[in-house]
Amino acid sequence: MSAPASALAAPVIRLRGVRRSFNGGVVAIDGIDLEVPQGEFVAILGPSGCGKSTLLRLIAGLDAPQGGEVVVRGGSALADRARLAYVFQDAHLLPWRTVQRNVELPLELAGIDRAQRSAAAAQCIAQVGLADAAGRYPAQLSGGMRMRASLARALVTDPELLLLDEPFAAVDEITRQRLDEQLHALWAGRRVTVLFVTHSISEAAFLAQRIVVLSPRPARVVADLPDLDGAARTAVLRTEPAFNDLVRRLHAALAADAGTP
């Protein structure tokens, strides 16, 4: 089950009957259909171990389905995903490089000249609020700062599609809420297509234009809900009745499929 793509925006992602299983007969994903239009922020919400990360890897081209079709920007091969960036649960920063040089790395590997990549990296570092830490090394950063540096490194390539796999799961709740606010502001400014994997109901409700709820493994789409109708993503939103109502609806969707009251 999935919401139809907007008539004004061609799908960046299209999944049809996608299935993936692993050795031992473990089925991770079973028959997922999903379309994501250009510029949409979609949260993929589901319990731990339900197949969310596997789904993201399939979309990124890091894994292949055993059934169905995964099409990203008109192609089904990794070569067709040139404007895609992936942010993992761990920041994966190179410890011997400063924040500036970590963020420059994708452009360096692409052969971009030093002055151009330095300017682009500095701009992205400033966008995530790390301008004062550009010369620091990863060991000198907090967990939240490392994730912001990882996000800047993803944004420096100016991606059309940004995939985020529970990037803020390891930080404390207050830091996580601030990072969510920063991420939403970045998305609102860039309108890059975002697929954000999380098992946090409140995070999904706060961030996304649309929340796709997955069942426990094997993952199936059990709900596809719209967002809070353009509400401003500030700390106050978390106290609003509409936000709490959406949280209740998402909890009910997860609980119903899990067979819990």
Side-chain angles (χ1 to χ4, degrees):
M1 158 179 172
S2 63
S6 166
L8 300 178
V12 173
I13 300 168
R14 186 173 71 248
L15 310 181
R16 290 286 180 268
V18 172
R19 187 177 190 276
R20 182 69 170 97
S21 62
F22 295 97
N23 292 339
V26 175
V27 180
I29 294 172
D30 189 18
I32 284 186
D33 297 330
L34 180 67
E35 287 192 1
V36 179
Q38 181 178 355
E40 193 168 51
F41 194 127
V42 178
I44 304 295
L45 175 66
S48 296
C50 76
K52 302 184 300 297
S53 296
T54 298
L55 183 63
L56 220 59
R57 289 177 59 82
L58 292 171
I59 292 168
L62 300 175
D63 195 2
Q66 292 167 317
E69 181 182 44
V70 178
V71 178
V72 178
R73 267 292 177 207
S76 57
L78 183 58
D80 299 311
R81 293 163 164 84
R83 298 288 304 280
L84 179 152
Y86 200 128
V87 178
F88 294 88
Q89 294 179 33
D90 188 280
H92 293 297
L93 300 175
L94 299 179
W96 58 88
R97 281 184 173 241
T98 62
V99 169
Q100 172 75 27
R101 296 204 62 225
N102 264 288
V103 176
E104 286 181 21
L105 183 59
L107 301 182
E108 183 179 334
L109 295 174
I112 305 299
D113 71 78
R114 179 174 294 181
Q116 187 177 349
R117 70 182 186 242
S118 177
Q123 181 181 22
C124 289
I125 290 167
Q127 285 182 326
V128 301
L130 285 180
D132 292 343
R136 297 187 197 175
Y137 291 89
Q140 298 172 304
L141 305 177
S142 67
M145 294 170 76
R146 286 194 292 271
M147 288 313 306
R148 280 189 281 163
S150 179
L151 180 58
R153 184 178 56 191
L155 294 173
V156 79
T157 61
D158 193 23
E160 291 182 354
L161 174 60
L162 182 59
L163 306 178
L164 299 107
D165 188 1
E166 299 192 58
F168 308 143
V171 299
D172 66 86
E173 187 64 21
I174 297 300
T175 300
R176 184 172 184 159
Q177 290 180 5
R178 290 173 181 163
L179 290 171
D180 286 342
E181 291 167 20
Q182 289 182 322
L183 176 60
H184 192 276
L186 283 169
W187 168 79
R190 287 174 171 252
R191 290 291 168 166
V192 60
T193 307
V194 174
L195 213 59
F196 186 99
V197 161
T198 182
H199 61 257
S200 169
I201 294 174
S202 61
E203 185 169 60
F206 182 87
L207 275 173
Q209 285 185 298
R210 175 179 159 210
I211 304 107
V212 175
V213 181
L214 301 184
S215 66
R217 192 175 66 207
R220 296 171 289 106
V221 176
V222 296
D224 194 335
L225 302 176
D227 74 342
L228 296 165
D229 196 24
R233 265 44 176 200
T234 63
V236 175
L237 177 63
R238 296 184 176 91
T239 67
E240 295 290 336
F243 177 83
N244 290 309
D245 179 64
L246 179 56
V247 167
R248 283 192 293 270
R249 291 166 63 199
L250 292 170
H251 186 276
L254 286 167
D257 200 73
T260 58

